[in-house]
């Protein structure tokens, strides 16, 4: 599946290409057509699945006919409202909206608590087509009459389970009451608890259920191994493991993109077919590396965490951490590439002396 097959308008296809995405993630393939058909959605997905683009891209497409450069606030009423539980997520989603929407003349802004309201008020009064907000601060702005929500056509509740955990339900109800009844609603949640089901029943109309596998929960079928080694021996150990364990397809993670090509080259010199994927390579080079790996022409794919996000390689038997990542979340992302779909997998980490602190965090 390609983004073009999802019937995205050229402005969005261009933005997606600018981001370096070659194909939609599973949740994007499902959510984009459904949102474009103006269906309500109940999405069970967490961060790391590409869900943000899954709702932002089709939302931008539905709003594209409204794009205009008029300075009049009346020409920019809030038509899409995205609620998130935290400031960090709000800022991140707003960045995505800006990034994916950069070729469209739609205005967006973000409001959240903990900072001065004045610049937010100014932005709202000038008019925004897409508003990303945390619930409490949004209500403050509503109270001050700096924003009206009577023309909202699309509502997104992101990480709804966290919003409920944080006690935002009363605020959410107040906000729902300010929105037109006739609207499209998208609800995303990592879990599907009774409370979420209740909320979904109240706010969604014959929603399409979209569920994607948890990517950032450690797969139960993964066996974790650690080899303690001086850094100078890592490459020889890696080559030794690949040979003696007869690995046919292995994803090797490094922290820095500049080290990826070098390691791949050295492995090739050692007689092991290796290729590399990282953000300094061109889109064509990345696609080539990925298809070489998927189709078995390369035994080893050397990747950075960022490059590996969103690329879909199913059911790898081995993931090797040539270096441990800086955060345990990245470790979970990395090993999420193995032990999927009911097949066992092995996550092997080569750990040198100065990585012990990172190892403790992962453990
Ligand atoms: P999210 O789950 O929305 O937080 O996205 C997780 C990460 O995946 C973000 O860093 C996105 O930039 C990236 N991403 C989203 N869609 C794709 C895609 N189709 N291909 C590659 N990366 C993607």
């Amino acid at each position: 599946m390609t983004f073009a097959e999802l019937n995205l308008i050229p402005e969005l296809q261009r933005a997606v290409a600018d981001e370096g995405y070659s194909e939609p993630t599973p949740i994007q393939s499902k959510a984009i057509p459904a949102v474009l058909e103006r269906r309500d959605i109940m999405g069970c997905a967490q961060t790391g699945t590409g869900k943000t683009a899954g709702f932002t891209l089709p939302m931008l497409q539905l709003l594209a006919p409204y794009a205009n450069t008029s300075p009049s606030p009346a020409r920019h009423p809030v038509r899409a409202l995205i609620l998130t539980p935290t400031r960090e997520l709000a800022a991140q989603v707003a960045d995505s909206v800006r990034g994916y929407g950069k070729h469209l003349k739609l205005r967006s802004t973000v409001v959240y608590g903990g900072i001065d309201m004045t610049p937010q008020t100014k932005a709202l009064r000038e008019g925004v087509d897409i508003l990303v907000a945390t619930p409490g601060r949004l209500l403050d702005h509503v109270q001050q009459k700096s924003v009206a929500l009577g023309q909202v056509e699309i509502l997104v509740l992101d990480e709804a389970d966290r919003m409920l955990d944080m006690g935002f339900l009363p605020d959410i109800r107040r906000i729902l009451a300010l929105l037109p009844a006739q609207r499209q609603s998208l609800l995303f949640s990592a879990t599907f608890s009774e409370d979420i089901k209740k909320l979904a029943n109240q706010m969604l109309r014959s929603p399409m259920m979209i569920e994607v596998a948890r990517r950032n929960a450690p797969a139960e079928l993964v066996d974790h191994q650690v080899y303690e080694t001086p850094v100078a021996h890592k490459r020889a150990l890696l080559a030794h493991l690949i040979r003696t364990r007869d690995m046919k397809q292995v994803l090797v993670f490094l922290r820095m993109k500049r080290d990826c090509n070098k390691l791949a080259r050295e492995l090739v010199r050692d007689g092991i077919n290796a290729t590399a994927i990282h953000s300094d390579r061109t889109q064509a080079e990345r696609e080539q590396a990925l298809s070489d790996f998927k189709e078995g022409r390369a035994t080893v794919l050397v990747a950075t965490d960022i490059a590996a996000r969103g690329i879909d390689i199913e059911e790898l038997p081995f993931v090797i951490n040539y270096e441990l990542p800086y955060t345990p979340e990245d470790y979970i992302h990395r090993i999420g590439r193995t032990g999927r779909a009911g097949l066992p997998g092995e996550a092997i980490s080569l750990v040198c002396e100065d990585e012990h602190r990172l190892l403790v965090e992962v453990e």
Side-chain angles (χ1 to χ4, degrees):
M1 170 88 66
T2 63
F3 282 104
E5 284 165 337
L6 289 172
N7 294 320
L8 288 180
I9 54 178
E11 289 89 340
L12 295 173
Q13 286 192 43
R14 246 200 298 153
V16 162
D18 294 345
E19 295 288 329
Y21 304 162
S22 46
E23 51 188 42
T25 66
I27 193 163
Q28 291 163 6
S29 314
K30 291 180 190 150
I32 291 173
V35 177
L36 289 178
E37 282 170 26
R38 301 197 180 264
R39 297 242 355 221
D40 281 8
I41 283 183
M42 170 72 228
C44 261
Q46 19 188 262
T47 306
T49 52
K51 72 177 154 75
T52 315
F55 64 74
T56 305
L57 290 169
M59 178 194 82
L60 287 164
Q61 180 147 332
L62 291 177
L63 298 183
Y66 295 118
N68 72 84
T69 52
S70 162
S72 161
R75 298 287 310 277
H76 303 280
V78 179
R79 298 191 197 267
L81 174 65
I82 304 171
L83 296 178
T84 76
T86 63
R87 296 161 195 176
E88 292 73 23
L89 185 62
Q92 211 175 302
V93 171
D95 276 348
S96 298
V97 171
R98 213 171 303 126
Y100 300 135
K102 67 180 173 184
H103 301 302
L104 291 169
K105 302 275 180 241
L106 290 166
R107 293 191 193 167
S108 65
T109 197
V110 57
V111 302
Y112 47 78
I115 54 171
D116 186 9
M117 281 181 84
T118 321
Q120 298 177 354
T121 304
K122 184 166 174 284
L124 291 174
R125 292 234 158 103
E126 285 170 1
V128 290
D129 306 288
I130 301 158
L131 176 58
V132 186
T134 52
R137 180 53 66 100
L138 176 64
L139 285 169
D140 293 341
H141 282 292
V142 167
Q143 195 129 43
Q144 291 196 356
K145 302 214 182 322
S146 30
V147 65
L149 302 175
Q151 292 191 62
V152 170
E153 295 179 17
I154 305 171
L155 168 72
V156 182
L157 247 55
D158 198 9
E159 299 200 355
D161 46 350
R162 261 176 98 192
M163 285 204 247
L164 299 191
D165 288 345
M166 292 169 74
F168 280 135
L169 190 58
D171 284 351
I172 293 172
R173 288 199 195 291
R174 256 172 242 140
I175 294 166
L176 289 178
L178 299 167
L179 305 178
Q182 193 52 259
R183 61 162 197 269
Q184 184 177 16
S185 306
L186 318 175
L187 195 152
F188 290 88
S189 175
T191 55
F192 199 48
S193 64
E194 284 307 313
D195 286 341
I196 291 292
K197 277 184 206 162
K198 223 156 74 189
L199 184 64
N201 280 338
Q202 287 163 358
M203 63 175 266
L204 304 178
R205 279 167 314 161
S206 43
M208 175 163 184
M209 282 287 301
I210 298 179
E211 207 169 341
V212 297
R214 289 166 69 103
R215 268 220 175 134
N216 48 356
E220 282 168 19
L221 290 161
V222 178
D223 180 38
H224 304 258
Q225 300 159 31
V226 172
Y227 287 82
E228 301 206 33
T229 172
V231 66
H233 293 175
K234 278 193 179 183
R235 201 184 93 228
L237 176 57
L238 176 64
H240 175 78
L241 284 168
I242 292 169
R243 285 222 179 78
T244 56
R245 309 276 300 269
D246 198 23
M247 299 181 183
K248 296 276 189 283
Q249 205 186 26
V250 51
L251 184 57
V252 174
F253 280 102
L254 293 191
R255 290 194 291 243
M256 311 270 232
K257 52 190 175 190
R258 63 176 149 79
D259 298 330
C260 289
N261 280 341
K262 184 161 167 275
L263 181 63
R265 262 200 319 270
E266 289 170 345
L267 287 170
V268 168
R269 220 175 295 145
D270 289 342
I272 293 168
N273 263 329
T275 185
I277 188 162
H278 55 77
S279 54
D280 275 357
R281 301 197 82 182
T282 63
Q283 183 63 22
E285 286 171 332
R286 281 190 271 176
E287 276 169 22
Q288 184 65 47
L290 193 59
S291 75
D292 283 348
F293 182 62
K294 279 184 170 175
E295 285 155 33
R297 289 186 294 274
T299 309
V300 177
L301 181 65
V302 185
T304 55
D305 294 284
I306 295 173
R309 293 269 167 103
I311 60 172
D312 205 39
I313 313 167
E314 291 297 330
E315 299 149 30
L316 283 177
F318 299 100
V319 166
I320 296 186
N321 298 305
Y322 193 82
E323 295 164 319
L324 282 180
Y326 288 119
T327 68
E329 288 75 22
D330 279 331
Y331 180 88
I332 296 195
H333 275 296
R334 288 179 179 189
I335 65 136
R337 301 315 180 131
T338 185
R340 285 157 73 176
L343 293 170
E346 293 183 45
I348 301 172
S349 300
L350 312 187
V351 177
C352 65
E353 188 127 29
D354 53 11
E355 290 175 296
H356 276 156
R357 192 181 47 77
L358 298 174
L359 182 61
V360 170
E361 284 177 27
V362 169
E363 283 175 333

